[in-house]
Amino acid sequence: MSPDIGGQAGPRETVMAPLAGWATPLSELPDPVFAGLVLGDGVAIDPVDQVLRAPCDGTITMLHRAHHALTLRTAAGADILMHIGLDTVELNGVGFTPHVAAGQQVRQGDALISFDAASIAGRVKSLLSPVIVTAGDRTFTVANRSQGREVKTGEAIFTIAPDSAAPEAGWTTAPASAEVTRDVVLRIPTGLHARPAGLISAAARGFQADTAVAFRSSRANARSSVSLMGLGAQAGDTVTLIASGADAEPALDAIAALLSEGHGFEAAEPAPHPAPVAATPKAEPSPPFDPGTEQVLSGVAAVPGRAVGTAFPLHTDRVDVAEYGAEPAVEHDTLHRALAAAQAALQAEIGRAPAGSPQAEILGAHLAFVEDPDLVGAADATIAAGKSAGFAWSGAIDRQIDILRGLGIDRMAERTDDLRDVGRRVLQAISGKAQEAVVLPPRAVLLADDLLPSQFAALPSDGIAGIALARGGRTSHVVIMAASLGIPTLVAVGPGLARVPEGAPVILDAEAGTLRAFPEAETLARTEASVTAARERAATQLHAAAADCRLVDGTRIEVAANLGGEADIPEALARGAEGCGLLRSEFLFLDRVTAPSEDVQFATYQRIAEGLQGRPLIIRTLDAGADKPLPYLDLPPEENPALGLRGVRVGLWRPELLRAQFRAILRVQPAGQCRIMLPMIALLEEIRAARALFDEVRAELGHTAPVQLGIMVEVPSAALMAATLAAEADFFSIGSNDLTQYTLAMDRGNPLLARQMDGLHPAILRLIATTCDGARRHKRWVGVCGGIASLPRAAAVLVGLGVTELSATASAIPAVKALLRTLSTQDCARVARRALQLDSAEAVHRLLGETWPEV
């Protein structure tokens, strides 16, 4: 390799082909990380020989443990990564023979790695081998690429030269000896998606040190949320933190805490199967629907509710950009003015959003994109090559979208909408075309192919009656924002949505999953009257919700709320909750690297008890396992986790966890406000073992006040053995969701079985009746904290079966109380007896609809 001075800030170095074969642009690789230049620039070679040779003189700085890749550092400090094939790391070294070691100096042409192409080719995605200049202590420009042709080993494939500009933001020229590294196990449940990546990058920007996160063969600037997401690191992966500079250690401490403890990041949303996405056809658009004919479109319910209103199609204006613009300095200034404008607008919108709201968090992730050094740096580099600011920014966004989609991770792919949104916002600022204010008609039902968070945030939410999207998913950011405001929403309605003209009268029924355009006048009037009556009825019910719930014969039915944490208390009390019938204590155990201490648990339970102002508080002990895995528990691998170590079995397997939780609850004052509930009891031995541990803890604490220790009835064996278990348990609380799942042998998360997974199936009702009969023999009370307790008609049937406590979602409490106050014990028992004799859940629903049609 020979220096070639001329027009560069330093000597130009020539990199030779390490393999003979067909030289290909990186953009054509079937790997988004390499194709998107995330790791660096260069070329790829489809090899025809089987020995990788040194492309220039240098030092081997890294030889991967799988022997499929290594890095060579040139005299000028450029790091050249050579990666034989794609996905070859999965071969774990089989088929590769290294001839060098890290730290060894080599000459151009020296053999580095031999490989068996024949055995490897059929086991990996591709033998295409990238040769790239990675981000190092200095940035380099790659030029004069040889690609789209055959090359021989030792033939020049590109040149590199140090950039004349200052080093990239966030990277300095600190010597390698100043680097500090640390391995960390990633504990963020959802991996490095937009929000945690944005928070980590923000933390990194608070230090002067250069920081990076390395994962597998990739290294990301820790100040770049885009690069962090591009790593594709998931919960349980080990990543390496790298820092150099005066405050390297504190920087690593801050980033390591975010990665390893996971505090502040949400647990995975329960949506095991994404909603179907309707593809938009390429054909000519169909004509609008005829105003004289009712049209019914089907979609997927995303936010429940019904709305009657006027169709308001919302279109996303495309911002056209020219490939070429003015001088690079002018275009650079244009881009950075637009970024500053977008940043100011986002900060203003965040300031207007309620603190801690979904809107504020989502917009905060968008702000991290606008400030992202890798996105901005990629755009700046394109501008330096002679392109316009808009073209450069659009290209940087598109490349990153391709990378996220290519990772094969649903959550990452859904976040591409956020990138599109940020891209559009900045392009509008570049074009100088401000987003026009949208004037909504009264009771507007928004119709759109898809809706970006910025579009939604710009609209007056009090003027939106409903939302219907042709595409979109149930976990998109717009749906999260709509749900926080209680706006009924349908997604995946399909291309027919575009045929609904502006101003058309529509009925959006997210309960039924339908959108009716041009409904018959009678249907429209009836539905509108029903929605209005329901709204007025809800207001009346809410006004009366604070009073205790009693049947007309005076029977007391306690209606409490299910709580997921302290933040749920105000809403629950405002809706008339008479206490907490289920506190899901696992919220304290999720998103952590270790279990919460006894003191942390006690402080939390005490605050919740005080927030309930003396009302009863039933705390369910840790219900881990199955759909709520906790990495730090090191649960053994299970073929069927739903039937394995979960619920109380985890506490008995790890008694120190259950003991600490018992101690924390027993310390809460006033004594007796808290009741304790054991989840997933299936055997008599389980409750006996748990009670023995409970009694030990009480004795240790000298706790003498009576405390109720009850169990959840979630499996058929517990219901069938209720009379026996009632001798050991102080109360029963029926978890109807799991009881239905285990009785009907249907996965509660399987959307294909959703219609059949019904807690009002006669088999479930009979098990509930058996539970109540067994409890009565020992004068124990029975509650229900599953989904059917939140359905007013179902609640009446439960009371008829012998249930005296209901724990519902806060929003359902006023309606549940309102119906029960109109009934007697005999009314409820009569309908319950009829329901027990029916042969299907559908028949039970029909009976309840005929009995209480006004509900």
Side-chain angles (χ1 to χ4, degrees), residues 340-354 359-360 363 367 425 457:
Q343 182 183 48
L346 279 165
Q347 289 171 337
E349 291 171 18
I350 292 170
R352 291 193 296 269
Q359 294 96 315
L363 292 171
L367 181 60
R425 184 188 288 267

Side-chain angles (χ1 to χ4, degrees), residues 329-412:
V330 174
E331 294 298 317
H332 179 274
D333 186 54
T334 298
L335 173 63
H336 284 265
R337 281 203 312 271
L339 290 169
Q343 182 183 48
L346 279 165
Q347 289 171 337
E349 291 171 18
I350 292 170
R352 291 193 296 269
S357 67
Q359 294 96 315
E361 292 185 357
I362 292 165
L363 292 171
H366 288 200
L367 181 60
F369 285 142
V370 171
E371 298 172 341
D372 190 280
D374 280 14
L375 271 178
V376 177
D380 282 339
T382 304
I383 289 173
K387 307 297 184 180
S388 73
F391 184 87
W393 177 253
S394 181
I397 291 289
D398 289 345
R399 282 191 295 274
Q400 192 57 39
I401 286 174
D402 290 341
I403 290 170
L404 294 186
R405 285 176 176 161
L407 291 174
I409 303 169
D410 290 341
R411 182 173 290 269
M412 295 295 193

